[in-house]
Amino acid sequence: MQQNDIDIRIGARIRAERESRHWSLTDLAERAGVSRAMIHKVERGTSSPTANLLGKLSGAFGLSMSALLARAEAAGGHLMRRLDQPVWIDSETGYIRRQISPRSDLPLDLVQIVLPAGKHVPMPASAYAFQRQLIWVLEGELEFDEGPVRHRLNAGDCLQLGPPADCIFRNPGKFPCIYAVTVLRND
């Protein structure tokens, strides 16, 4: 799937979620704390959303970011071949999100993230309000700020997130950090 295709699908999903709630662009902008103009660009597929923006929008909808993206990108079935796994790239940071698990009735998503060296991605607490999550570092180093607490994780380390808090994913290393996120959805 090409990046432009996924941006169009994400935009269409955001518009569908907004319209299904009978919200105007202004309603969503106020609930998410982002500009109306930015939402309009994302919905039209003319602007690629950042991970932080998706976190704010999904929180406003009462969804996890994983659930919002899965609704936009993943096909059903029991097997998700690597070539069919949807990939989304944050154009601002180069953060790469790959949906590993197939869309199913299981309340679980498995996602792989590649965070480039020296980059950080902030996420609002609202992005975590409807899920429980584990982070398992596969390669590299990850500093994870969970509210006021900083966790330093290395390859093999696994962290269960606590109650929803504003978070920052940070790669302090010289190489990409690759980690898996297991999301137990409550939505």
Side-chain angles (χ1 to χ4, degrees):
M1 188 177 304
Q2 297 294 323
Q3 182 66 31
N4 191 43
D5 293 342
I6 192 65
D7 289 341
I8 290 168
R9 290 175 123 192
I10 290 170
R13 184 75 242 168
I14 290 168
R15 184 176 51 256
E17 294 292 336
R18 178 178 60 79
E19 289 175 350
S20 73
R21 291 163 174 78
H22 305 287
W23 293 352
S24 67
L25 280 170
T26 302
D27 293 334
L28 178 55
E30 289 172 358
R31 291 169 194 259
V34 299
S35 79
R36 193 177 171 281
M38 179 52 71
I39 295 169
H40 183 63
K41 288 178 185 177
V42 169
E43 283 188 356
R44 287 191 345 239
T46 59
S47 180
S48 182
T50 64
N52 184 261
L53 176 65
L54 285 175
K56 290 178 179 181
L57 293 173
S58 64
F61 292 136
L63 298 170
S64 67
M65 187 168 117
S66 225
L68 178 65
L69 288 172
R71 290 178 182 187
E73 56 189 22
H78 294 282
L79 176 64
M80 179 71 84
R81 300 259 184 225
R82 181 170 176 84
L83 291 176
D84 297 327
Q85 295 169 353
V87 174
W88 175 77
I89 302 170
D90 180 347
S91 59
E92 186 175 279
T93 62
Y95 163 107
I96 302 169
R97 179 192 185 279
R98 176 182 294 276
Q99 178 73 31
I100 302 296
S101 55
R103 187 173 181 184
S104 72
D105 59 352
L106 292 174
L108 181 110
D109 287 318
L110 183 58
V111 177
Q112 180 191 53
I113 304 296
V114 178
L115 184 59
K119 298 295 182 175
H120 71 280
V121 175
M123 288 292 207
S126 61
Y128 302 102
F130 311 98
Q131 63 189 5
R132 296 182 64 195
Q133 186 166 285
L134 295 170
I135 299 170
W136 178 28
V137 177
L138 303 170
E139 294 179 25
E141 310 171 56
L142 180 67
E143 286 183 358
F144 179 70
D145 294 350
E146 186 177 23
V149 178
R150 176 166 291 171
H151 304 279
R152 287 185 172 83
L153 299 118
N154 293 301
D157 294 345
C158 186
L159 172 69
Q160 177 180 337
L161 271 63
D166 289 339
C167 297
I168 300 174
F169 294 83
R170 184 179 293 104
N171 180 352
K174 295 180 181 179
F175 301 100
C177 177
I178 301 172
Y179 57 97
V181 179
T182 302
V183 180
L184 180 60
R185 298 186 312 265
N186 295 327
D187 47 42

